[in-house]
């Protein structure tokens, strides 16, 4: 069942990353194009957040409930998952900023804000500790994920207590998501789904809890029938497309879309029970596996590619012709493969090994002192 569940959801990560990339990247196309679904691409981050709550509950909740959950090992493994590539892209961004300064070129108005660097190094740039969206801006969501990882025992405690009442859990989580978004927009005068470096750590909380509650629904057999799973996937997709296309000007349509994305995750988790489908194809699963690298490198790559093409074609301030624009988009695939295999995977193993050795040594020393 592990492979049946994780393969389609891994593929879903690819579409989430692509959605975010297109949201940012389509603004560089000439002539300009507007497309409702792509205009809501920033919600791909919320899709990641809900999916993260679902998957981590799937992997760890049973052990947590049986008192077999090792928090120290969990933190090490989660840090190893996100930190090496974050630091690699941060260093690359710093090199780009330095090179741009030498050339007298500006990459981004907020790219070089040195007062934000400590927060980036500590993965706390979405906790209200970074003054601007500096350096590799998408990393704010990794900081939010780190907050969710550190507080996972709270999520797990709530989920475990409601494990036999999944409908109540989903209802409460959905109500909390709706309520917090309404209160936040009333107080802050903008939607929580637009929060990044200032309130990103808060933005992930309702989405992560919603994902955990959806796991309880999956665990309780809500999509045990492949037909129900397929219907739910189709219905969720239609809601997302329709809401993004025809309700973009509605102030709280984002909340409806996030709820529909949750239904999509739950339903996709029920696919492939009878036979493998397209979301279990090797290509899509692999693209999902490298999607974290895609998400982390797309802004630095956009800076480099745009400057190079504008210099070659002498475009001035206008966007890229479609052929060049599409070439830059496709180039993200091999670049993501390189980042995944040369940085993400090997350094993940190194951080895990070193972290576990440090914890074991610390535990041994504490045991000797008792």
């Amino acid at each position: 069942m592990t492979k049946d569940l994780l393969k389609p959801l891994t593929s879903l990560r690819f579409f989430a990353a692509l959605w975010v990339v297109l949201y940012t990247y389509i603004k560089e196309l000439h002539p300009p194009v507007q497309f409702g679904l792509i205009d809501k691409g920033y919600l791909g981050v919320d899709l990641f957040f809900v999916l993260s709550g679902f998957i981590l509950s799937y992997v760890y909740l049973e052990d947590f409930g049986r008192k077999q959950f090792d928090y120290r090992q969990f933190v090490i493994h989660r840090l190893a998952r996100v930190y090496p590539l974050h630091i690699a892209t941060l260093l690359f961004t710093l090199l780009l900023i330095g090179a741009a300064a030498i050339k007298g070129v500006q990459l981004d108005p907020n790219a070089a804000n040195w007062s934000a660097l400590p927060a980036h190094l500590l993965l706390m740039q979405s906790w209200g500790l970074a003054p601007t969206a500096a350096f590799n801006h998408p990393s704010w969501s990794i900081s939010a994920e780190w907050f969710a990882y550190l507080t996972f025992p709270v999520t797990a405690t709530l989920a475990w207590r409601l494990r036999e009442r999944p409908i109540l859990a989903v209802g409460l989580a959905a109500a909390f998501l709706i309520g917090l978004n309404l209160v936040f927009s009333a107080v802050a005068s903008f939607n929580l789904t637009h929060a990044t470096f200032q309130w990103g750590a808060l933005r992930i909380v309702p989405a992560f809890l919603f994902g955990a509650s959806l796991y309880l629904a999956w665990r309780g057999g809500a999509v045990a029938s492949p037909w129900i799973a397929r219907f739910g996937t189709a219905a969720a997709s239609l809601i997302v497309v329709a809401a993004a296309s025809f309700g973009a000007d509605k102030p709280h349509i984002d909340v409806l879309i996030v709820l529909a994305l949750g239904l999509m995750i739950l339903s996709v988790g029920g696919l492939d029970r009878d036979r493998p489908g397209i979301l279990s194809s090797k290509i899509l699963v692999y693209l999902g596996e490298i999607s974290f690298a895609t998400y982390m490198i797309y802004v630095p790559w956009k800076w480099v590619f745009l400057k190079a093409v504008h210099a070659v074609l002498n475009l001035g301030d206008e966007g890229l012709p479609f052929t060049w624009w599409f070439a830059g988009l496709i180039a993200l695939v091999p670049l993501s493969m390189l980042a995944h295999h040369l940085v993400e995977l090997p350094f993940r193993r190194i951080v895990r090994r070193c972290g576990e050795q440090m914890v074991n040594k610390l535990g041994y020393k504490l045991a000797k002192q008792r």
Side-chain angles (χ1 to χ4, degrees), residues 11-319:
S11 297
L12 193 59
R13 286 171 46 195
F14 161 68
F15 291 105
L18 179 62
W19 198 14
V20 176
V21 170
L22 285 175
Y23 165 71
T24 301
Y25 197 60
I26 202 165
K27 298 171 185 177
E28 310 302 334
L29 180 62
H30 181 78
V33 173
Q34 276 197 316
F35 190 70
L37 184 61
I38 295 178
D39 290 342
K40 290 292 183 181
Y42 56 88
L43 294 177
V45 175
D46 296 273
L47 175 55
F48 274 122
F49 289 166
V50 179
L51 185 57
S52 182
F54 186 102
I55 292 296
L56 289 185
S57 298
Y58 171 79
V59 174
Y60 294 104
L61 186 60
E62 300 299 327
D63 284 346
F64 181 88
R66 292 194 297 263
K67 311 296 184 183
Q68 297 174 350
F69 177 72
D70 188 333
Y71 181 67
R72 292 176 299 181
Q73 185 182 69
F74 170 81
V75 169
I76 291 169
H77 285 192
R78 301 322 301 170
L79 183 66
R81 176 72 176 84
V82 299
Y83 198 66
L85 196 54
H86 164 61
I87 289 298
T89 52
L90 176 60
L91 291 175
F92 183 69
T93 302
L94 292 174
L95 288 175
L96 288 180
I97 291 171
I102 293 173
K103 292 288 186 179
V105 176
Q106 187 181 60
L107 293 174
D108 184 274
N110 294 316
N113 189 328
W114 301 107
S115 61
L117 186 57
H120 278 259
L121 292 172
L122 296 172
L123 269 182
M124 298 170 69
Q125 64 268 36
S126 70
W127 300 15
L129 301 176
T132 61
F135 307 113
N136 187 23
H137 178 50
S139 68
W140 75 263
S141 63
I142 307 306
S143 169
E145 287 276 1
W146 180 235
F147 179 81
Y149 298 159
L150 293 177
T151 57
F152 178 72
V154 177
T155 299
T157 299
L158 294 173
W160 187 251
R161 290 180 178 177
L162 292 171
R163 66 189 182 281
E164 302 301 333
R165 306 179 72 181
I167 295 177
L168 176 62
V170 173
L172 289 174
F176 178 61
L177 190 150
I178 294 169
L180 184 60
N181 274 270
L182 290 175
V183 170
F184 184 89
S185 62
V187 173
S189 299
F190 67 94
N191 289 342
L192 184 58
T193 50
H194 288 279
T196 56
F197 65 95
Q198 288 180 313
W199 294 98
L202 179 63
R203 177 175 171 180
I204 195 175
V205 172
F208 195 85
L209 287 171
F210 187 44
S213 73
L214 291 169
Y215 164 71
L216 296 181
W218 178 90
R219 180 179 181 269
V223 288
S225 167
W227 289 104
I228 292 177
R230 292 182 190 121
F231 176 79
T233 302
S237 301
L238 287 174
I239 292 171
V240 171
V241 172
S245 301
F246 305 110
D249 57 338
K250 303 296 189 296
H252 300 299
I253 200 68
D254 286 4
V255 178
L256 173 61
I257 294 176
V258 173
L259 292 173
L261 292 173
L263 173 61
M264 181 183 298
I265 289 169
L266 173 63
S267 302
V268 168
L271 297 176
D272 295 2
R273 288 177 181 266
D274 50 354
R275 63 181 183 275
I278 188 172
L279 289 179
S280 291
S281 66
K282 291 183 178 179
I283 293 178
L284 283 180
V285 171
Y286 178 73
L287 289 173
E289 289 172 348
I290 66 172
S291 62
F292 176 53
T294 303
Y295 179 76
M296 291 299 290
I297 70 171
Y298 83 92
V299 165
W301 166 242
K302 187 184 77 168
W303 289 343
V304 172
F305 185 73
L306 286 179
K307 294 298 181 184
V309 173
H310 276 76
V312 170
L313 300 182
N314 195 25
L315 294 177
D317 294 329
E318 68 181 43

